[in-house]
Coordinates of all heavy atoms in Angstrom, one line a residue:
R105 N 93.0 101.0 74.0 CA 93.5 101.5 75.2 C 92.5 101.0 76.3 O 91.5 100.4 76.0 CB 93.7 103.0 75.2 CG 92.4 103.8 74.8 CD 92.7 105.2 74.5 NE 93.5 105.4 73.2 CZ 93.9 106.5 72.8 NH1 93.8 107.6 73.5 NH2 94.5 106.6 71.6
S106 N 92.8 101.4 77.5 CA 92.0 101.0 78.7 C 90.6 101.6 78.6 O 90.4 102.6 77.9 CB 92.6 101.3 80.0 OG 92.6 102.7 80.2
C107 N 89.7 101.1 79.4 CA 88.4 101.6 79.5 C 88.4 103.1 80.0 O 87.8 103.9 79.3 CB 87.6 100.8 80.6 SG 86.0 101.4 81.1
A108 N 89.2 103.4 81.0 CA 89.4 104.7 81.5 C 90.0 105.6 80.4 O 89.6 106.8 80.3 CB 90.2 104.8 82.8
A109 N 91.0 105.1 79.7 CA 91.7 105.9 78.7 C 90.8 106.3 77.6 O 90.9 107.3 77.0 CB 93.0 105.2 78.2
N110 N 89.8 105.4 77.2 CA 88.8 105.7 76.2 C 88.0 107.0 76.6 O 87.8 107.8 75.8 CB 87.8 104.6 76.0 CG 88.3 103.6 74.9 OD1 87.8 103.7 73.8 ND2 89.2 102.7 75.2
I111 N 87.7 107.0 77.9 CA 86.9 108.1 78.4 C 87.7 109.4 78.5 O 87.3 110.5 78.1 CB 86.3 107.8 79.8 CG1 85.3 106.6 79.6 CG2 85.5 109.0 80.4 CD1 84.8 106.0 80.9
R112 N 89.0 109.2 79.0 CA 89.9 110.4 79.0 C 90.1 111.0 77.6 O 90.2 112.2 77.4 CB 91.2 110.0 79.6 CG 91.2 110.0 81.2 CD 92.6 110.0 81.8 NE 93.2 108.7 81.5 CZ 93.1 107.6 82.3 NH1 92.4 107.7 83.4 NH2 93.8 106.5 82.0
T129 N 86.6 111.5 84.6 CA 86.7 110.1 84.2 C 86.1 109.2 85.3 O 85.4 108.3 85.0 CB 88.1 109.7 83.9 OG1 88.6 110.5 82.7 CG2 88.2 108.3 83.5
L133 N 82.9 106.8 85.0 CA 83.0 105.3 85.2 C 82.0 104.9 86.3 O 81.4 103.8 86.1 CB 84.4 105.0 85.7 CG 85.5 105.0 84.6 CD1 86.9 105.0 85.2 CD2 85.3 103.8 83.7
L138 N 81.4 101.1 85.7 CA 82.6 100.4 85.2 C 83.8 100.8 86.0 O 84.9 100.5 85.5 CB 82.8 100.8 83.7 CG 81.8 100.2 82.7 CD1 82.0 100.7 81.3 CD2 81.8 98.7 82.7
V141 N 86.5 98.1 86.4 CA 87.3 97.6 85.2 C 88.0 98.8 84.5 O 88.3 98.7 83.3 CB 86.3 96.8 84.2 CG1 85.8 95.6 84.9 CG2 85.2 97.7 83.7
A142 N 88.2 99.8 85.2 CA 88.8 101.0 84.6 C 90.0 100.8 83.8 O 90.3 101.4 82.8 CB 89.0 102.1 85.7
D143 N 90.9 99.9 84.3 CA 92.2 99.7 83.7 C 92.2 98.5 82.7 O 93.3 98.2 82.2 CB 93.2 99.4 84.8 CG 93.4 100.7 85.7 OD1 93.3 101.8 85.2 OD2 93.7 100.5 86.9
R144 N 91.1 97.9 82.5 CA 91.0 96.7 81.6 C 91.0 97.2 80.2 O 90.3 98.2 79.9 CB 89.8 95.9 81.9 CG 89.7 94.6 81.1 CD 88.5 93.8 81.6 NE 88.6 93.5 83.0 CZ 87.6 92.9 83.7 NH1 86.5 92.5 83.1 NH2 87.8 92.6 85.0
P145 N 91.7 96.6 79.2 CA 91.6 97.0 77.8 C 90.1 97.0 77.4 O 89.4 96.0 77.5 CB 92.4 95.9 77.1 CG 93.4 95.4 78.1 CD 92.6 95.4 79.4
A146 N 89.7 98.1 76.8 CA 88.3 98.2 76.4 C 87.9 97.2 75.4 O 86.7 96.7 75.4 CB 88.1 99.6 75.8
L149 N 86.4 93.9 76.9 CA 85.2 94.0 77.7 C 84.1 93.3 77.0 O 84.1 93.0 75.7 CB 84.8 95.5 77.9 CG 85.8 96.3 78.7 CD1 85.3 97.8 78.7 CD2 86.0 95.8 80.1
E153 N 79.4 95.9 78.3 CA 80.4 96.8 78.9 C 80.9 97.8 77.9 O 81.1 99.0 78.2 CB 81.5 96.1 79.6 CG 81.1 95.3 80.8 CD 82.2 94.3 81.3 OE1 83.0 93.9 80.5 OE2 82.2 94.0 82.5
V157 N 80.9 101.9 77.9 CA 82.0 102.8 77.7 C 81.6 103.8 76.6 O 81.9 105.0 76.8 CB 83.2 102.0 77.2 CG1 84.3 102.9 76.7 CG2 83.7 101.0 78.3
R161 N 81.7 107.8 77.0 CA 82.4 108.7 76.1 C 81.5 109.8 75.5 O 81.9 111.0 75.4 CB 83.0 107.9 74.9 CG 84.1 107.0 75.3 CD 84.8 106.4 74.1 NE 83.9 105.8 73.2 CZ 84.3 104.9 72.3 NH1 85.5 104.5 72.2 NH2 83.4 104.4 71.4

Side-chain angles (χ1 to χ4, degrees):
R105 55 192 72 184
S106 71
C107 173
N110 266 262
I111 298 171
R112 280 194 291 270
T129 298
L133 285 166
L138 293 176
V141 297
D143 296 326
R144 188 175 301 173
L149 299 175
E153 289 170 336
V157 172
R161 290 188 312 202

